[in-house]
Amino acid sequence: QVQLVESGGGLVQAGGSLRLSCAASASIFSISVMRWYRQAPGKQRELVAAISSGGTTNYADSVKGRFTISRDNAKNTVYLQMNSLKPEDTGVYYCKIENRMVHVWGQGTQVTVSS
């Protein structure tokens, strides 16, 4: 069973930056779509960004121009670079791996943006 381990969350001031990482335990990473979701308190989980196995990216309108998703297949890791953070970006961020064989969620990492 593939496992996803997230890291990089924390507390940051508005306007600051943070980079989230999500490392997969299996070689299927390279043939998988990777997605980042977030869930704010009292809100539904929403898709933030996605990257295909070929590197095609998509972003939610709310983060477009501020967030960048990328992947390093050699490290089986997907990243979410978050710049110009706003308080409304606060929430638990989850990565998800998706292909024909598996749909697996990471454990989540808290991002809190103050001010």
Side-chain angles (χ1 to χ4, degrees), residues 55-73:
T56 301
T57 59
N58 287 287
Y59 299 93
D61 287 342
S62 59
V63 307
K64 196 170 298 181
R66 299 187 297 119
F67 290 12
T68 303
I69 188 171
S70 62
R71 65 194 298 156
D72 185 340
N73 287 344

Side-chain angles (χ1 to χ4, degrees), residues 55-97:
T56 301
T57 59
N58 287 287
Y59 299 93
D61 287 342
S62 59
V63 307
K64 196 170 298 181
R66 299 187 297 119
F67 290 12
T68 303
I69 188 171
S70 62
R71 65 194 298 156
D72 185 340
N73 287 344
K75 297 180 179 179
N76 291 340
T77 300
V78 64
Y79 304 95
L80 186 66
Q81 178 67 46
M82 305 183 293
N83 299 324
S84 302
L85 282 162
K86 305 174 180 180
E88 50 262 46
D89 295 318
T90 293
V92 179
Y93 283 69
Y94 300 88
C95 66
K96 183 185 181 183
I97 188 169

